[in-house]
Amino acid sequence: MKKVDLVVPCYNEEESIPLFYEEIKKIRKDIDALIEIIFVNDGSKDKSLEIMKELSKKDKLVKYISFSRNFGKEAAMLAGLEASTGDYVTIMDVDLQDPPSLLSEMIRLIEEEGYDIVGTRRVTRKGEPPIRSFFARRFYKIINRMSKVEMVDGARDYRLMTRQVVNSILELKEYNRYSKGLFSYVGFNTKWLEYENVQRVAGETKWSFWKLFIYAIEGIVAFTTVPLTLAAIIGIIFCLIAFVMIIFIIVKTLVYGDPTSGWPSMACIIFLVSGVQLLCVGVIGEYIAKMYLEVKNRPVYIIKESNVNKND
Ligand code: UDP
Ligand code: MG
């Protein structure tokens, strides 16, 4: 029988974990495959780990990995994928925002129609603050224009992948992991299932607007170097403008003499040009910072305890 691994990152989710488990128990009946749950406890400060341990005692197909502190969802996804042994693997949020009811259709599409990946995307962002939706949409527009790797608006990390796809993703060893990009970078035949946004069952979102903003910058830095080119182009444009201005001033001085005036405009220009310079240095700095982290080659996560044994 085929085995399907659900990788479930959890950060302070004591209320959602039991509800999630009940839902999975329900869908297990309709699916002709073993469904294994790999909970990744991302340094929760509540009872999440105890609940995972309880479940794993009752159910052989529940595994857990517990980090030594909060490393973020990206790290949790990586740990889960590395621990997975199933023929098919998917990431699933524990808050039931990734409808488990889609799973049987996802398995069918891979098995019968030969897709390698079945992804899900929400076509609405109902229930989300409007300002967040607005910036999310802008972000997808910008990154898709700048990067060759296509990022699908509304695509979730909830995607069923074959072993081959998972292995390809694990081949990408970078430290700054931006999974939305890595998933599409590896390619393969992808089918998208669409669904309406679902609210989380319990608890609250772990993503503030600021955290999402930083995450968006990470995505851009990880998947395109267009900002560096833009910095260079802005530099060229400023040089050209300066050149024209110099000629203009020389000619004007020769024709009309040189009465000293115009320092306010000079002050403005100095501000503008130094602002643009700082911006460009900042952009370059972002890339250097990422390189610095990459070069240090620290582990993406540290496991404190786990009951995953790759041989069973
Ligand atoms: N999560 C995590 N580590 C974090 C933040 C979130 O493992 O540092 C998990 C969280 O427990 C949930 C999933 O990632 O299962 C998605 O988080 P959330 O529902 O808060 O995000 P949203 O759906 O609001 O984008
Ligand atoms: Mg959620």
Side-chain angles (χ1 to χ4, degrees), residues 93 95 97 156 200 205:
D93 282 3
D95 56 11
Q97 280 189 304
R156 306 279 302 172
R200 97 193 318 279
T205 176

Side-chain angles (χ1 to χ4, degrees), residues 236-252:
I236 294 171
I237 293 174
F238 269 67
C239 286
L240 288 178
I241 294 175
F243 188 69
V244 172
M245 274 169 31
I246 289 168
I247 306 238
F248 175 75
I249 287 169
I250 291 175
V251 172
K252 196 172 148 228

Side-chain angles (χ1 to χ4, degrees), residues 4-8 81 88-92 103 106 157-161:
V4 181
D5 279 339
L6 312 181
V7 171
V8 190
L81 292 181
Y88 310 130
V89 184
T90 179
I91 319 276
M92 220 189 234
L103 197 64
M106 290 157 90
D157 298 322
Y158 180 33
R159 49 173 63 213
L160 192 66
M161 300 171 277

Side-chain angles (χ1 to χ4, degrees), residues 133-302:
S133 308
F134 174 79
F135 279 104
R137 292 207 195 291
R138 287 286 91 63
F139 166 72
Y140 282 106
K141 280 244 160 62
I142 292 173
I143 197 159
N144 279 321
R145 196 162 287 173
M146 291 202 289
S147 167
K148 285 196 198 91
V149 174
E150 200 207 348
M151 317 263 173
V152 178
D153 188 358
R156 306 279 302 172
D157 298 322
Y158 180 33
R159 49 173 63 213
L160 192 66
M161 300 171 277
T162 60
R163 181 90 293 210
Q164 189 190 17
V165 176
V166 175
N167 289 343
S168 321
I169 289 169
L170 294 178
E171 285 285 303
L172 307 173
K173 298 280 183 221
E174 56 211 80
Y175 174 81
N176 296 287
R177 302 189 75 83
Y178 184 73
S179 290
K180 279 185 200 315
L182 299 180
F183 287 153
S184 33
Y185 175 86
V186 295
F188 293 99
N189 252 344
T190 308
K191 166 87 182 167
W192 291 100
L193 294 183
E194 296 183 344
Y195 70 97
E196 302 265 318
N197 194 24
V198 190
Q199 304 274 332
R200 97 193 318 279
V201 274
E204 54 193 57
T205 176
K206 312 290 177 297
W207 294 87
S208 62
F209 185 78
W210 182 242
K211 253 176 136 180
L212 279 175
F213 182 72
I214 301 285
Y215 189 57
I217 303 260
E218 265 170 30
I220 291 174
V221 175
F223 275 89
T224 165
T225 50
V226 169
L228 291 175
T229 317
L230 279 182
I233 292 175
I234 292 176
I236 294 171
I237 293 174
F238 269 67
C239 286
L240 288 178
I241 294 175
F243 188 69
V244 172
M245 274 169 31
I246 289 168
I247 306 238
F248 175 75
I249 287 169
I250 291 175
V251 172
K252 196 172 148 228
T253 314
L254 288 178
V255 177
Y256 296 103
D258 183 24
T260 316
S261 68
W263 72 267
S265 52
M266 189 57 78
C268 292
I269 290 170
I270 291 174
F271 263 92
L272 174 70
V273 174
S274 47
V276 171
Q277 271 181 1
L278 280 181
L279 176 75
C280 294
V281 171
V283 169
I284 296 167
E286 276 298 313
Y287 284 88
I288 294 180
K290 291 287 178 251
M291 272 163 60
Y292 177 56
L293 291 174
E294 212 64 63
V295 167
K296 281 204 265 194
N297 207 7
R298 287 184 178 162
V300 179
Y301 56 84
I302 295 168

